[in-house]
Amino acid sequence: TTEIYTLSLHDALPILKTDGYQLIIDPYFSGNPASPIKPDEVNPDYILLTHGHGDHVGDCLSIAKRTNAEVISNAEIVKWVSMQGIKKSHGQHLGGGFQYPFGYLKLTLALHGSALPDGSYGGNPAGFLLTTKDKKKLYFAGDTGLFGDMTLIGEEGIDLAVLPIGDNYTMGPIDALRAVKLLQPKHVIPIHYNTWPLIAQDAAAWAVDVEKEVNCQVHVLKPGESLTL
Ligand code: NI
């Protein structure tokens, strides 16, 4: 089974526990007003970075140095973390997949920026499409606007889509509903909202709207809650 914990409503994500492995995507704990835990409380085997922005790279370097977790991201970000002293990393790029011990991970398109915290070039932002060993397909959109090729991602048969709804920096609720229609996932978790007033959203109301129009279940998770697939 795969468990998805939301540690914050922001970058989610979550800690993902799948087949005995623990993954963290975009470990933004320090300075995150929505995070209930500290970076030294997590022990991931892998850290996945969708893009280079500070509120997504977050505590990646300190966690990876302490735990020896492998960092997975695009080739530019992986080169940057290596230069910061991270020993284990794996670079991929958009459209490319790789078979890890925890499953097959493909980098997907995302419409956003990706500059790193020190201004270094962070390549293209990405989302992640993870096929777990028990054949569940999990799509983490990352920070992105709506794009029509979500239809292609949806064609793979998505069990869970984790989508931003905060607006301003990413899709807002209206476009996120359109994204659900393109992706046709069985389950949806909204993220990247309520971290700051600028991206405040009513996720419960959004869930009602989505479930009215699309045959899927929306899970509005509070920090620390989890969903088991
Ligand atoms: Ni961003």
Side-chain angles (χ1 to χ4, degrees):
T1 64
T2 298
E3 293 171 86
I4 293 117
Y5 291 82
T6 46
L7 291 179
S8 87
L9 291 178
H10 192 62
D11 313 305
L13 329 174
I15 286 192
L16 193 69
K17 292 180 180 173
T18 180
D19 210 51
Y21 295 97
Q22 197 176 118
L23 284 60
I24 295 184
I25 303 176
D26 296 346
Y28 173 48
F29 303 118
S30 300
N32 180 347
S35 177
I37 63 163
K38 296 190 174 68
D40 57 4
E41 295 175 74
V42 295
N43 292 289
D45 301 294
Y46 297 88
I47 300 172
L48 282 60
L49 300 178
T50 59
H51 65 291
H53 289 164
D55 59 330
H56 291 256
V57 172
D59 301 295
C60 172
L61 298 176
S62 66
I63 296 170
K65 281 176 186 167
R66 178 175 55 80
T67 64
N68 203 27
E70 184 168 343
V71 178
I72 300 169
S73 190
N74 72 32
E76 292 83 359
I77 291 174
V78 157
K79 187 178 172 200
W80 182 81
V81 300
S82 304
M83 286 165 61
Q84 315 298 314
I86 300 305
K87 302 221 163 47
K88 281 165 62 183
S89 60
H90 187 116
Q92 298 180 221
H93 237 300
L94 297 180
F98 183 78
Q99 185 69 50
Y100 294 93
F102 59 81
Y104 184 77
L105 185 75
K106 188 157 76 173
L107 263 61
T108 57
L109 179 68
L111 299 182
H112 197 66
S114 186
L116 285 152
D118 63 1
S120 297
Y121 175 63
N124 288 307
F128 294 114
L129 183 61
L130 171 63
T131 307
T132 62
K133 283 209 197 152
D134 54 357
K135 301 293 172 207
K136 294 272 182 0
K137 293 248 187 197
L138 316 179
Y139 172 53
F140 302 93
D143 280 11
T144 187
L146 178 68
F147 55 91
D149 285 352
M150 285 181 177
T151 305
L152 298 177
I153 297 169
E155 281 173 8
E156 298 215 20
I158 306 297
D159 292 288
L160 169 70
V162 180
L163 304 174
I165 66 163
D167 219 347
N168 195 76
Y169 299 116
T170 67
M171 295 188 284
I174 294 168
D175 277 357
L177 168 55
R178 297 168 72 193
V180 176
K181 288 178 181 172
L182 298 180
L183 292 161
Q184 296 287 324
K186 294 192 183 92
H187 301 270
V188 179
I189 297 176
I191 60 155
H192 212 278
Y193 66 95
N194 288 3
T195 320
W196 308 287
L198 187 57
I199 57 172
Q201 297 296 341
D202 184 344
W206 183 76
V208 171
D209 289 346
V210 172
E211 290 183 350
K212 218 183 285 172
E213 294 201 40
V214 189
N215 183 24
C216 71
Q217 268 182 283
V218 181
H219 307 269
V220 178
L221 301 183
K222 293 191 186 75
E225 290 183 342
S226 69
L227 169 69
T228 302
L229 290 178

